[in-house]
Amino acid sequence: MGKGTGKHFPVFEKSGGWDILAPGAKLAARNVRDKEMTLWDPTTGQVVRHLATTDSATAFSPAGDALLTIGDGDKDAQVALWDVATGTKRWHRPRAADVVLSAVFSPDGSLIAWTAWGGEKEPVTYVIAAADGRDVRRIDALSGNGGDLTFSRDGRTLIGGGEFIRLCEVASGEAHGKLAGDQGYLHPLTLSHDGRRLASGGGDGTVLIWDVTGAHLRDKSRTAEALWEDLAGKDAVKAYRAVRQLADSPKETVEFLRARLKPVPIPDPKRIDQLIAALDANGFEERKQAKAELDSLAEIVEPALRTAAKTLASAEVGKQLADLLEKFAERRLKPTPAQLRPVRAVEVLEAVGTAEARDVLRTLAKGAPGASQTREARASLQRLERRSNNSGSK
């Protein structure tokens, strides 16, 4: 309806054979007959764009500038992200399974998660990068739920509904919380503005409000050093408890982390170029050593390797680069304790959010751009800045 008028938009009155699929900053509808999807501005009723696809629309990005679509029925169906302004695909990739149950963007629009079901197997939740569709994480801990998905406000926890609610750490893909009641099937899920409370609608018609701060997990007997070790552990429950407990002592924790976290060193670009060139050296040992050194730098040099893979003509170098990038992708899906600890430590600093914590984050944000610690620190600073601006405007 028109805002404040009570009138129906004419374009919606002509909706016979159309399917309204995804509300958001825009409205999307699929018209199978004409093999296209139409986007409307819900406040004006004006058509924004036509997309040349009959796939299902599943979610708009938080900014409303992109639309995720997923094909149905065809074994060659794709997952695609469309640019709303131009009507073109930003990227596409094969669909993961037969049925996509739900999909959602992270609040900052950097990640997309969807739960897919392949029939006889349990549903699996996939997390990918919204920028290019690359795999970030596969989460089996949500299997069996198959209900609504929602991210925490910082995008670090993925929450899935169903017969019960599971909270999963995106960094590790492991569950760190389970919420169960007597509501029956739990959906939809909605977080409070500060991310501290979760509302779930139940199959019995009731709504429950849950505390998702992890307050009940605190163990006051553990020291900062012990909690620091928990940040590198495989146990996501202990790691989540450590994050929350460290954040409870802002001043002491910031100084503790300041002494232990350092920016990831930025490698010399000339050295990286030399190593890439050495992948095509005549001597076997020289090629082997160059590949090993690049392998040890992993995510730090991944952007440079991707650029090189697009521009270098040598078939041998291309083969070696493809091999390295495949290894990096596999490791990204199964992060090591050394990779998890700095990400969780940055989460602590963001949770603290003081001027001193931001100073540490700014220092970490100056590290190698490809490092996860650097990316997480930059994202934390952006979120803290937005919160500060929002609170200042009230």
Side-chain angles (χ1 to χ4, degrees):
M1 292 190 297
K3 184 177 179 180
T5 67
K7 293 176 61 178
H8 286 86
F9 287 126
V11 68
F12 299 131
E13 288 178 351
K14 299 177 181 178
S15 59
W18 296 53
D19 186 15
I20 302 295
L21 297 167
K26 306 286 185 296
L27 289 176
R30 178 179 52 173
N31 187 333
V32 178
R33 180 189 59 205
D34 294 336
K35 297 183 179 181
E36 68 176 18
M37 182 176 296
T38 302
L39 308 184
W40 289 296
D41 183 330
T43 62
T44 65
Q46 298 300 309
V47 173
V48 175
R49 178 73 55 191
H50 297 287
L51 306 181
T53 179
T54 58
D55 294 344
S56 295
T58 60
F60 280 96
S61 63
D65 61 341
L67 175 67
L68 180 73
T69 64
I70 298 180
D72 6 74
D74 193 328
K75 66 179 181 179
D76 298 321
Q78 297 177 341
V79 177
L81 190 69
W82 295 79
D83 189 291
V84 171
T86 64
T88 58
K89 290 181 184 178
R90 294 184 181 178
W91 52 259
H92 63 271
R93 52 174 286 164
R95 189 184 58 190
D98 294 339
V99 179
V100 174
L101 303 174
S102 56
V104 64
F105 278 82
S106 62
D108 66 358
S110 65
L111 298 175
I112 298 170
W114 77 78
T115 299
W117 182 53
E120 297 180 357
K121 299 180 180 179
E122 289 287 336
V124 175
T125 300
Y126 299 86
V127 181
I128 63 173
D132 52 21
R134 284 188 295 129
D135 289 317
V136 172
R137 195 76 60 239
R138 169 183 165 136
I139 300 180
D140 294 309
L142 288 172
S143 64
N145 280 29
D148 287 355
L149 293 174
T150 189
F151 278 95
S152 61
R153 295 308 182 204
D154 61 8
R156 293 193 172 98
T157 294
L158 187 60
I159 306 170
E163 295 179 1
F164 49 82
I165 298 171
R166 276 206 187 276
L167 290 80
C168 291
E169 181 185 40
V170 174
S172 65
E174 299 297 328
H176 64 65
K178 178 180 178 181
L179 306 174
D182 298 322
Q183 289 181 285
Y185 201 79
L186 300 170
H187 71 94
L189 306 175
T190 303
L191 275 170
S192 62
H193 182 71
D194 61 7
R196 300 174 64 85
R197 299 290 184 268
L198 176 73
S200 65
D204 61 358
T206 63
V207 174
L208 291 183
I209 308 298
W210 309 83
D211 182 342
V212 291
T213 63
H216 63 291
L217 298 174
R218 278 28 167 216
D219 181 354
K220 299 298 183 180
S221 67
R222 296 185 68 76
T223 64
E225 287 290 351
L227 296 172
W228 173 251
E229 291 304 315
D230 287 346
L231 293 182
K234 293 183 178 180
D235 190 327
V237 175
K238 285 186 176 181
Y240 186 67
R241 176 193 61 197
V243 168
R244 299 303 166 187
Q245 191 164 328
L246 285 168
D248 284 344
S249 303
K251 185 175 180 180
E252 297 83 356
T253 291
V254 170
E255 293 311 310
F256 179 84
L257 295 179
R258 190 194 300 274
R260 288 161 177 77
L261 297 173
K262 304 299 177 185
V264 178
I266 300 175
D268 182 357
K270 292 183 179 180
R271 177 58 180 164
I272 302 304
D273 290 342
Q274 291 172 354
L275 291 172
I276 293 175
L279 294 175
D280 204 19
N282 292 327
F284 172 75
E285 283 301 320
E286 186 177 356
R287 295 197 303 272
K288 181 179 178 181
Q289 291 176 8
K291 188 174 183 179
E293 188 170 341
L294 289 171
D295 192 19
S296 68
L297 294 170
E299 61 178 7
I300 299 174
V301 298
E302 184 171 352
L305 298 195
R306 290 191 176 280
T307 299
K310 295 177 182 178
T311 58
L312 294 177
S314 169
E316 178 60 27
V317 173
K319 179 181 177 182
Q320 297 301 324
L321 290 175
D323 183 51
L324 284 168
L325 290 172
E326 184 177 351
K327 287 183 178 179
F328 296 166
E330 291 174 358
R331 291 176 195 164
R332 187 164 51 246
L333 294 176
K334 297 180 179 179
T336 65
Q339 292 172 307
L340 288 172
R341 175 185 272 160
V343 171
R344 290 164 172 168
V346 168
E347 182 178 357
V348 174
L349 291 168
E350 181 178 346
V352 171
T354 61
E356 293 77 14
R358 296 186 192 204
D359 285 341
V360 179
L361 288 171
R362 290 188 189 97
T363 299
L364 300 179
K366 296 176 182 177
S372 56
Q373 176 181 278
T374 306
R375 296 196 306 270
E376 290 295 327
R378 292 178 179 179
S380 289
L381 285 170
Q382 290 174 354
R383 282 190 290 268
L384 289 171
E385 183 66 24
R386 284 196 296 270
R387 290 174 203 161
S388 178
N389 292 337
N390 290 338
S391 62
S393 62
K394 292 180 181 179

Short mmCIF file of all heavy atoms in Angstrom, two decimals, residues 37 62 103 135 159 180 187 236 287-288 298 351 361-362 384:
data_model
loop_
_atom_site.label_atom_id
_atom_site.label_comp_id
_atom_site.label_asym_id
_atom_site.label_seq_id
_atom_site.Cartn_x
_atom_site.Cartn_y
_atom_site.Cartn_z
N MET A 37 12.87 -11.28 -13.42
CA MET A 37 12.49 -10.88 -12.08
C MET A 37 12.40 -9.36 -12.06
O MET A 37 13.23 -8.67 -12.65
CB MET A 37 13.52 -11.37 -11.06
CG MET A 37 13.17 -11.05 -9.62
SD MET A 37 14.37 -11.75 -8.49
CE MET A 37 14.12 -13.50 -8.78
N PRO A 62 22.10 -5.76 3.13
CA PRO A 62 21.63 -4.74 4.07
C PRO A 62 21.49 -3.35 3.44
O PRO A 62 20.59 -2.59 3.79
CB PRO A 62 22.70 -4.74 5.17
CG PRO A 62 23.24 -6.12 5.14
CD PRO A 62 23.24 -6.51 3.69
N ALA A 103 18.31 -18.21 3.74
CA ALA A 103 19.54 -17.48 3.41
C ALA A 103 19.48 -16.12 4.06
O ALA A 103 18.41 -15.53 4.21
CB ALA A 103 19.71 -17.35 1.90
N ASP A 135 34.05 -19.63 -0.69
CA ASP A 135 33.71 -20.31 0.56
C ASP A 135 34.48 -19.72 1.73
O ASP A 135 35.69 -19.49 1.64
CB ASP A 135 34.02 -21.79 0.45
CG ASP A 135 33.07 -22.52 -0.48
OD1 ASP A 135 31.87 -22.25 -0.41
OD2 ASP A 135 33.54 -23.36 -1.27
N ILE A 159 23.12 -17.82 14.04
CA ILE A 159 22.09 -18.41 14.87
C ILE A 159 21.07 -19.09 13.98
O ILE A 159 20.56 -18.50 13.03
CB ILE A 159 21.40 -17.33 15.73
CG1 ILE A 159 22.45 -16.55 16.53
CG2 ILE A 159 20.37 -17.95 16.67
CD1 ILE A 159 21.91 -15.31 17.21
N ALA A 180 16.85 -24.20 24.13
CA ALA A 180 15.71 -25.09 23.89
C ALA A 180 14.58 -24.74 24.85
O ALA A 180 14.81 -24.43 26.02
CB ALA A 180 16.13 -26.54 24.08
N HIS A 187 10.82 -20.27 15.19
CA HIS A 187 11.07 -19.34 14.10
C HIS A 187 9.97 -18.29 14.15
O HIS A 187 8.89 -18.56 14.70
CB HIS A 187 11.10 -20.05 12.75
CG HIS A 187 9.73 -20.52 12.31
ND1 HIS A 187 8.91 -19.78 11.50
CD2 HIS A 187 9.02 -21.64 12.62
CE1 HIS A 187 7.77 -20.42 11.30
NE2 HIS A 187 7.81 -21.55 11.97
N ALA A 236 34.65 -24.38 21.15
CA ALA A 236 34.04 -23.07 20.88
C ALA A 236 33.28 -22.54 22.09
O ALA A 236 33.15 -21.34 22.27
CB ALA A 236 33.10 -23.17 19.68
N ARG A 287 62.42 -23.76 -7.45
CA ARG A 287 60.96 -23.73 -7.56
C ARG A 287 60.30 -24.24 -6.27
O ARG A 287 59.34 -23.65 -5.78
CB ARG A 287 60.49 -24.58 -8.75
CG ARG A 287 60.92 -24.09 -10.12
CD ARG A 287 60.09 -24.72 -11.23
NE ARG A 287 60.12 -26.17 -11.21
CZ ARG A 287 61.04 -26.92 -11.83
NH1 ARG A 287 62.02 -26.32 -12.51
NH2 ARG A 287 61.00 -28.22 -11.76
N LYS A 288 60.87 -25.30 -5.74
CA LYS A 288 60.33 -25.91 -4.52
C LYS A 288 60.41 -24.96 -3.33
O LYS A 288 59.44 -24.80 -2.57
CB LYS A 288 61.09 -27.20 -4.21
CG LYS A 288 60.61 -27.93 -2.97
CD LYS A 288 61.41 -29.21 -2.74
CE LYS A 288 60.97 -29.93 -1.48
NZ LYS A 288 61.77 -31.17 -1.24
N ALA A 298 50.77 -17.94 3.27
CA ALA A 298 49.34 -18.24 3.14
C ALA A 298 48.48 -17.02 2.84
O ALA A 298 48.68 -16.35 1.84
CB ALA A 298 48.86 -18.97 4.40
N ALA A 351 34.09 -5.95 21.77
CA ALA A 351 33.11 -6.03 22.84
C ALA A 351 33.41 -5.00 23.93
O ALA A 351 32.49 -4.42 24.52
CB ALA A 351 33.08 -7.43 23.43
N LEU A 361 42.97 -1.75 18.27
CA LEU A 361 42.40 -2.18 16.99
C LEU A 361 43.01 -1.39 15.82
O LEU A 361 43.29 -1.97 14.76
CB LEU A 361 40.88 -2.01 17.00
CG LEU A 361 40.10 -3.00 17.86
CD1 LEU A 361 38.63 -2.58 17.96
CD2 LEU A 361 40.21 -4.41 17.30
N ARG A 362 43.23 -0.10 16.00
CA ARG A 362 43.84 0.72 14.94
C ARG A 362 45.25 0.23 14.63
O ARG A 362 45.68 0.21 13.47
CB ARG A 362 43.86 2.18 15.35
CG ARG A 362 42.49 2.84 15.38
CD ARG A 362 42.59 4.34 15.59
NE ARG A 362 41.25 4.92 15.82
CZ ARG A 362 40.76 5.17 17.02
NH1 ARG A 362 41.48 4.95 18.11
NH2 ARG A 362 39.55 5.69 17.14
N LEU A 384 32.26 -0.18 15.27
CA LEU A 384 32.30 0.71 16.43
C LEU A 384 32.05 2.16 16.03
O LEU A 384 31.38 2.91 16.75
CB LEU A 384 33.65 0.58 17.14
CG LEU A 384 33.88 -0.74 17.90
CD1 LEU A 384 35.33 -0.85 18.36
CD2 LEU A 384 32.94 -0.84 19.09
#
